[in-house]
């Protein structure tokens, strides 16, 4: 089959690789109908996250079960399914508590020895614990499939950030980051009942989506100017809940500075220097909480799925460029150059 591999920074290729096969009785093989490129994939693309030459890449996909192992009970051949970006066994203590990303038997797509999501098919370990079945008729609805694909990562990650930030009905929320996760954080905050949502972003195409998703204000400034703008909008107090969806020193520093005393930051941006933006003395003095991390999206998919199916939320606008499998390298370049927000892949 054809699949995406990374050989070196800025060297993404689509190559022939071995077809996936059921190796364990709990495995399934999924033929990919939709995949995408994540902003976090760019860290490897830019050489800021180490990868072995020839390693597979991509961690968001949905598709059709083509084969299921003998111990798979909840799925059968022909089922339409979505995969979270981490596989998990569904039976350990962490899975039972909803922290599927800490499953001792879990792993990430594209890790050494595993299939990546940006290919024609994927071997899925622990299929019963990992995959979520989707309505069969969604396969013929292109728009719905695109919205459902967001459940594999960005919608669940935005929701995780909103929960970590303590978003509640009537609260004021600020979102640092105008990538797909930040935009889904806006959508998640709106879904949880936030009264005011301040989106920080400089790119109009992205802030337009933020407003579509429920942002009531847009702040285009950065650094101290952004802090001043948010505080002006909040009577000098800052936001009750702040979503940090970037992971840099500046983004974290901004997040701390715009949080209201007694408020919380939900952080989901993959850390790249963000620790240096934290001043625990400031957070201690102002009673600011920090919660977040790798989002256990498998836990969130069922409740978010219901809202996508009934039209309560529609995260599909975050996908603004579509490529076939052979166009994946072009998709990486487009996202790296910020001419695309999030690239949809149709193998």
């Amino acid at each position: 089959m054809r699949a995406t591999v990374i050989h070196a920074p800025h060297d993404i290729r689509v190559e022939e690789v071995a077809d996936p096969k059921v190796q364990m009785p709990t495995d399934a093989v999924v033929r990919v109908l939709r995949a995408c490129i994540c902003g976090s994939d760019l860290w490897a693309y830019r050489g800021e996250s180490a990868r072995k030459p020839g390693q597979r890449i991509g961690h968001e996909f949905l598709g059709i079960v083509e084969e299921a192992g003998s111990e798979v009970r909840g799925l059968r051949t022909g089922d339409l399914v979505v995969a979270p970006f981490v596989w998990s066994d569904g039976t350990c203590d962490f899975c039972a508590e909803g922290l599927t990303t800490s499953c001792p038997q879990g792993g990430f797509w594209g890790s050494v020895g595993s299939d990546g999501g940006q290919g024609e098919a994927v071997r899925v370990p622990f299929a019963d614990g990992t995959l979520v079945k989707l309505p069969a008729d969604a396969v013929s609805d292109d728009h719905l499939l695109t919205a459902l694909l967001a459940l594999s990562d960005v919608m669940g990650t935005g929701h995780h950030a909103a929960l970590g930030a303590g978003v509640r009905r009537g609260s004021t929320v600020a979102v640092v980051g105008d990538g797909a996760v930040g935009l889904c954080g806006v959508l998640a905050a709106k879904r949880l009942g936030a009264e005011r949502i301040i989106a920080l972003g400089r790119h109009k195409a992205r802030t337009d989506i933020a407003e579509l998703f429920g942002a009531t204000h847009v702040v285009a400034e950065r650094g101290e100017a952004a802090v001043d703008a948010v505080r002006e909008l909040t009577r000098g107090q800052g936001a009750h809940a702040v979503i940090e969806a970037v992971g840099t020193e500046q983004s974290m520093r901004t997040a701390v500075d715009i949080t209201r005393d007694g408020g919380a930051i939900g952080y989901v941006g993959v850390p790249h220097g963000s620790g240096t933006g934290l001043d625990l003395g400031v957070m201690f003095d102002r009673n600011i909480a920090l919660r977040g991390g790798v989002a256990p999206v498998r836990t969130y998919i069922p409740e978010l799925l219901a809202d996508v199916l009934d039209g309560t939320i529609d995260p599909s606008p975050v996908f603004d460029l579509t490529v076939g499998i052979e166009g994946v390298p072009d998709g990486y370049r487009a996202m790296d150059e910020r001419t695309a927000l999030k690239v949809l892949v149709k193998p």
Side-chain angles (χ1 to χ4, degrees), residues 109-198:
W109 312 114
S111 56
V112 175
S114 73
D115 293 319
Q118 294 159 15
E120 293 182 318
V122 176
R123 180 182 75 88
V124 178
F126 304 107
D128 279 328
T130 301
L131 299 171
V132 177
K133 188 175 177 180
L134 302 173
D137 57 0
V139 75
S140 60
D141 188 331
D142 187 69
H143 182 90
L144 179 57
L145 277 183
T146 301
L148 293 171
L149 177 61
L151 298 179
S152 65
D153 184 346
V154 290
M155 188 62 230
T157 298
H159 178 67
H160 187 57
L163 293 179
V167 176
R168 61 189 185 280
R169 189 162 300 281
S171 59
T172 294
V173 181
V175 180
V176 181
D178 60 3
V181 170
L183 294 173
C184 286
V186 171
L187 189 57
K190 178 68 174 178
R191 176 180 177 271
L192 292 171
E195 181 177 334
R196 292 205 300 169
I197 304 172
I198 304 167

Side-chain angles (χ1 to χ4, degrees), residues 13-25:
R13 307 178 198 174
V14 179
E15 299 178 344
E16 291 288 328
V17 301
D19 290 338
K21 301 182 184 303
V22 168
Q23 298 177 17
M24 301 292 291

Side-chain angles (χ1 to χ4, degrees), residues 175-183 200-203 206-207 245-246 338 341:
V175 180
V176 181
D178 60 3
V181 170
L183 294 173
L200 280 68
R202 296 181 297 161
H203 302 84
R206 299 182 179 202
T207 56
V246 183
R338 297 183 73 87
L341 167 59

